[in-house]
């Protein structure tokens, strides 16, 4: 009888590719079934609905989906500027009154609400929109956009705010955008997966991944290598966890989540992670 493989999900953005490449084409491809979706928000819904055992989810969704365990040591974040999570605006910050929010995002759209309420001390109107900057800016003063679309839109004449850079400037902390999370009921099913080894394999593959995505994004390979190596951070170190906890605390303060639940870690199987 064939063993049923665990199903895991991740977005198909370039920054996510580093964490999923080993499960897709590498040494661990026979240990799971990986499905991809263009939107991180959709990956969270698959996990919420029980359609997958594990998913690379927006960090805010760990607080919204009950019964999850976080995978230690692995994340998508940024120590300083991230480049692929931005607010593009037609006007200077003090003149912004309306903001369109990328429907692909959960963590970043909560982050911009926190930045306006907690730090900029400004009331603005938010509304969801598909990730297309020209269309978003046709109906709003500013647009929050994430992932590959944020790397490729025309920035001419726009005020562009890097949201990880803003968070760092205002808090002194790194920002964590996404984490691997596992349904507690599926912890045995994913016991054979080594998420840290998958990350490390992906880190080694960054030049190859940049070359693969360059034609799709219309950007130079060297630009994408720099992005993966200098802008994106794939660990969960003490300062990353401090930034994540502070973000969740502010999200609760501004009623974006009900409360801050402490992280519960997936036990690491000997030889895995």
């Amino acid at each position: 009888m064939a063993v049923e493989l665990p199903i895991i999900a991740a977005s198909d953005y370039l920054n996510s590719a580093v964490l999923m490449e080993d499960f897709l084409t590498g040494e661990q491809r026979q240990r799971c079934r990986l499905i991809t979706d263009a939107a991180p928000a959709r990956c969270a819904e698959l996990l919420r609905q029980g359609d997958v055992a594990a998913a690379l989810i927006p960090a805010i969704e760990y607080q919204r989906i009950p019964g999850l365990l976080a995978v230690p040591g692995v994340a998508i974040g940024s120590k300083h500027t991230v480049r692929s999570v931005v607010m593009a605006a037609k006007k200077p910050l003090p003149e912004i009154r309306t903001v369109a929010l990328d429907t692909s995002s959960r963590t970043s759209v909560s982050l911009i609400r926190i930045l306006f309420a907690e730090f900029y001390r400004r009331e603005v109107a938010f509304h969801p929109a598909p990730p297309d900057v020209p269309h978003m800016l046709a109906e709003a003063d500013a647009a929050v956009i994430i992932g590959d679309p944020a790397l490729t839109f025309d920035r001419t004449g726009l005020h562009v705010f890097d949201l990880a850079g803003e968070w760092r400037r205002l808090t002194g902390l790194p920002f964590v955008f996404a984490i691997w999370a596992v349904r507690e009921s599926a912890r045995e099913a994913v016991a054979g997966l080594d998420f840290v080894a998958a990350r490390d394999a992906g880190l080694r593959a960054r030049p190859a991944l940049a070359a693969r995505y360059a034609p799709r994004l219309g950007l130079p390979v060297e630009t994408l290598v720099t992005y993966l190596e200098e802008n994106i951070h794939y660990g969960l170190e003490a300062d990353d966890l401090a930034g994540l906890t502070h973000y969740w605390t502010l999200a609760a303060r501004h009623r974006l989540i009900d409360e801050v639940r402490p992280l519960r870690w997936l036990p690491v199987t000997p030889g895995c992670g």
Side-chain angles (χ1 to χ4, degrees), residues 24-56:
L24 186 63
T25 65
E27 294 183 0
Q28 298 192 69
R29 64 186 180 279
Q30 303 298 332
R31 301 186 196 174
C32 65
R33 287 175 53 204
L34 173 68
I35 60 176
T36 62
D37 194 281
R42 175 60 182 157
C43 295
E45 288 308 306
L46 291 171
L47 191 63
R48 182 194 303 276
Q49 296 163 8
D51 295 329
V52 298
L56 186 61

Side-chain angles (χ1 to χ4, degrees), residues 57-64 68 70 107 110-111 114 167 175-179 236 240-265:
I57 63 170
I60 193 73
E61 292 300 297
Y62 181 86
Q63 296 293 339
R64 294 172 174 167
L68 296 185
T107 292
S110 296
L111 173 58
I114 290 169
W167 176 260
F175 194 81
V176 175
F177 290 97
I179 61 173
L236 264 181
D240 303 308
L241 290 170
L244 183 58
T245 300
H246 189 43
Y247 166 67
W248 283 338
T249 300
L250 294 179
R253 177 182 299 172
H254 295 286
R255 300 180 179 179
L256 300 172
I257 56 176
D258 292 334
E259 61 180 348
V260 179
R261 298 196 300 256
L263 278 162
R264 298 170 61 231
W265 298 109

Side-chain angles (χ1 to χ4, degrees), residues 57-139:
I57 63 170
I60 193 73
E61 292 300 297
Y62 181 86
Q63 296 293 339
R64 294 172 174 167
I65 303 174
L68 296 185
L69 300 173
V71 174
V74 184
I76 294 177
S78 180
K79 295 290 191 182
H80 296 282
T81 56
V82 68
R83 286 176 55 194
S84 57
V85 179
V86 302
M87 180 175 68
K90 297 182 293 187
K91 303 176 179 181
L93 185 61
E95 299 177 20
I96 293 173
R97 298 290 182 270
T98 56
V99 181
L101 302 176
D102 187 341
T103 52
S104 303
S105 171
R106 296 285 174 80
T107 292
S108 302
V109 299
S110 296
L111 173 58
I112 196 65
R113 290 177 181 273
I114 290 169
L115 291 176
F116 271 101
E118 181 75 16
F119 299 105
Y120 302 154
R121 302 298 176 93
R122 296 275 316 288
E123 289 190 9
V124 298
F126 299 99
H127 69 266
D132 182 300
V133 171
H135 285 92
M136 296 167 90
L137 292 181
E139 299 181 352

Side-chain angles (χ1 to χ4, degrees), residues 15 43 66 154 228 262:
N15 56 28
C43 295
D154 184 2
L228 292 177

